[in-house]
């Protein structure tokens, strides 16, 4: 069962997405900031669109229209959650609560998220729900994030949308200023970035292989896409000391101690990604390996 945590609606001012000017006016304070803030500050100017990477449930009204699924028993709820990368379920003790209409009001804005509603007491008990709650279930880190209590009572369509947007992390998350909040709050401290131009003819094929590799490290590494064709992302690229001529590239980063490594590539290969991640997890990044090779070569000379 996913681990349940209470998630506040929105975020503190220090975590909220800033404008490019504000973010980079604070860049000189980086050394005093927590490690996890450092990388996010470099990325806070990214403004990427969200990628639809999962099928959505469509109602009989026609393509593109989806309605929350009624979940009447535990088995149905479990299957519903297991089938989606991100699922949002309203657990209500009474089907007439105002939050039901709130879910209906935002569902069309998130075509890559599956929505459900349950008023069955056995379902609420199974997910440790004791009062009206809206929960977001995430496959990538097996999390259950709950809006309940005061957060639930003060919720409106804007706050609900922000809660979903900021926590909409997937097997491969396309970075933007909103998903940065979810990345920052995730308990997974290692991030692997694919820095590549989405306009390139090889992008879709490489993205597919990147997604396949992400499945191998689910729960251990967050896989992130950064579009090198977006000018604002040049600052994120420069963080890893990469030149545009070295792209596409993989960049791996550990938020706890700012360790990072890069690997310029010509294409994404699952085995190559696996070896790169395994080496970093073992504490021997390619950068260290290259330095060791250079020292050995100098000794031999």
């Amino acid at each position: 069962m996913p681990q349940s945590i209470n998630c506040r609606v929105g975020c503190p001012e220090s975590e909220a997405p800033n404008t490019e000017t504000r973010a980079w006016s604070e860049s000189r304070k980086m050394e005093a900031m927590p490690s996890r803030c450092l990388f996010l500050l470099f990325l806070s100017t990214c403004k990427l669109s969200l990628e639809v990477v999962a099928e959505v449930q469509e109602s009989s009204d026609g393509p593109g229209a989806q309605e929350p699924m009624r979940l009447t028993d535990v088995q149905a709820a479990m299957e519903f959650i297991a089938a989606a990368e991100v699922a949002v379920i309203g657990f209500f003790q009474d089907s007439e609560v105002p939050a039901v209409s709130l879910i209906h009001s935002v569902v069309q804005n998130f075509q890559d998220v599956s929505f459900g509603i349950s008023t069955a007491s056995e379902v609420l008990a199974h997910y440790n729900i004791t009062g009206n709650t809206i929960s977001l279930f995430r496959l990538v880190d097996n999390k259950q994030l709950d809006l309940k209590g005061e957060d639930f009572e003060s919720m409106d369509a804007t706050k609900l949308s922000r809660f979903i947007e900021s926590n909409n992390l997937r097997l491969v998350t396309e970075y933007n200023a909103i998903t940065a909040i979810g990345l920052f709050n995730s308990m997974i401290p290692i991030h692997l970035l694919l820095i590549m131009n989405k306009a390139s003819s090889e992008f879709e094929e490489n993205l597919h292989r990147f997604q396949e590799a992400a499945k191998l490290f689910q729960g251990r590494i967050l896989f992130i896409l950064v579009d090198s064709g977006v000018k604002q992302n040049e600052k994120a690229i420069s963080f890893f000391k990469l030149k545009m001529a070295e792209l596409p590239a993989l960049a791996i980063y550990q938020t706890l101690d700012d360790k990072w490594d890069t690997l310029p590539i010509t294409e994404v290969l699952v085995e190559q990604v696996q070896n790169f991640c395994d080496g970093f997890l073992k504490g021997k990044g390619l950068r260290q390996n290259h330095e060791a090779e250079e020292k050995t070569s100098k000794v031999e000379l």
Side-chain angles (χ1 to χ4, degrees), residues 119-133:
T119 57
S121 58
E122 63 175 294
V123 177
L124 272 64
H126 181 78
Y127 291 102
N128 299 316
I129 304 298
T130 57
N132 292 325
T133 302

Side-chain angles (χ1 to χ4, degrees), residues 68 70 92 95-107 117 157 160:
R70 293 285 175 172
F92 306 127
S95 60
E96 300 302 319
V97 297
V100 173
S101 62
L102 278 180
I103 290 181
H104 281 274
S105 71
V106 304
V107 65
I117 292 175
L160 179 57

Side-chain angles (χ1 to χ4, degrees), residues 66-287:
Q66 68 165 333
E67 292 294 331
M69 177 178 285
R70 293 285 175 172
L71 305 170
T72 58
D73 56 60
V74 173
Q75 186 63 31
M78 293 176 64
E79 292 176 356
F80 179 80
I81 294 169
E85 283 198 61
V86 178
V88 173
I89 300 178
F91 296 107
F92 306 127
Q93 296 172 323
D94 180 356
S95 60
E96 300 302 319
V97 297
V100 173
S101 62
L102 278 180
I103 290 181
H104 281 274
S105 71
V106 304
V107 65
Q108 298 303 330
N109 297 329
F110 298 95
Q111 293 292 302
D112 58 349
V113 175
S114 296
F115 288 83
I117 292 175
S118 182
T119 57
S121 58
E122 63 175 294
V123 177
L124 272 64
H126 181 78
Y127 291 102
N128 299 316
I129 304 298
T130 57
N132 292 325
T133 302
I134 293 179
S135 298
L136 182 144
F137 295 85
R138 219 161 49 192
L139 176 66
V140 67
D141 54 2
N142 197 35
K143 287 296 182 183
Q144 175 184 334
L145 309 176
D146 296 330
L147 280 176
K148 57 186 179 181
E150 293 181 3
D151 289 335
F152 182 87
E153 296 301 328
S154 64
M155 182 180 55
D156 56 24
T158 299
K159 290 179 180 179
L160 179 57
S161 294
R162 184 171 183 80
F163 170 71
I164 297 171
E165 286 179 318
S166 62
N167 291 294
N168 189 12
L169 305 187
R170 320 186 76 81
L171 285 175
V172 175
T173 300
E174 186 170 354
Y175 187 87
N176 61 47
I178 302 298
T179 56
I181 300 170
L183 292 168
F184 175 82
N185 288 327
S186 174
M187 297 302 292
I188 299 178
I190 300 178
H191 301 169
L192 178 70
L193 284 69
L194 170 60
I195 304 174
M196 186 175 190
N197 194 326
K198 288 180 63 178
S200 66
S201 59
E202 303 86 6
F203 173 73
E204 291 298 334
E205 184 177 354
N206 281 281
L207 177 60
H208 175 72
R209 290 196 288 263
F210 194 59
Q211 291 169 331
E212 290 300 308
K215 297 175 183 178
L216 302 176
F217 294 93
Q218 181 182 334
R220 293 187 291 164
I221 299 176
L222 292 178
F223 278 54
I224 303 168
L225 170 65
V226 176
D227 185 0
S228 61
V230 176
K231 185 172 180 59
Q232 290 90 336
N233 292 347
E234 291 178 1
K235 291 186 176 74
I237 297 169
S238 67
F239 175 87
F240 295 105
K241 304 186 185 305
L242 285 167
K243 300 177 181 177
M244 297 302 290
E246 297 178 293
L247 303 179
L250 298 173
I252 195 164
Y253 178 83
Q254 182 161 288
T255 61
L256 299 178
D257 57 11
D258 290 341
K259 287 178 56 178
W260 58 272
D261 197 12
T262 58
L263 178 65
I265 58 175
T266 55
E267 62 177 337
V268 175
L269 300 175
V270 175
E271 183 178 2
Q272 181 185 52
V273 174
Q274 185 175 8
N275 291 338
F276 183 57
C277 292
D278 283 339
F280 192 83
L281 290 171
K282 293 175 182 177
K284 293 191 65 175
L286 293 181
R287 181 178 303 279

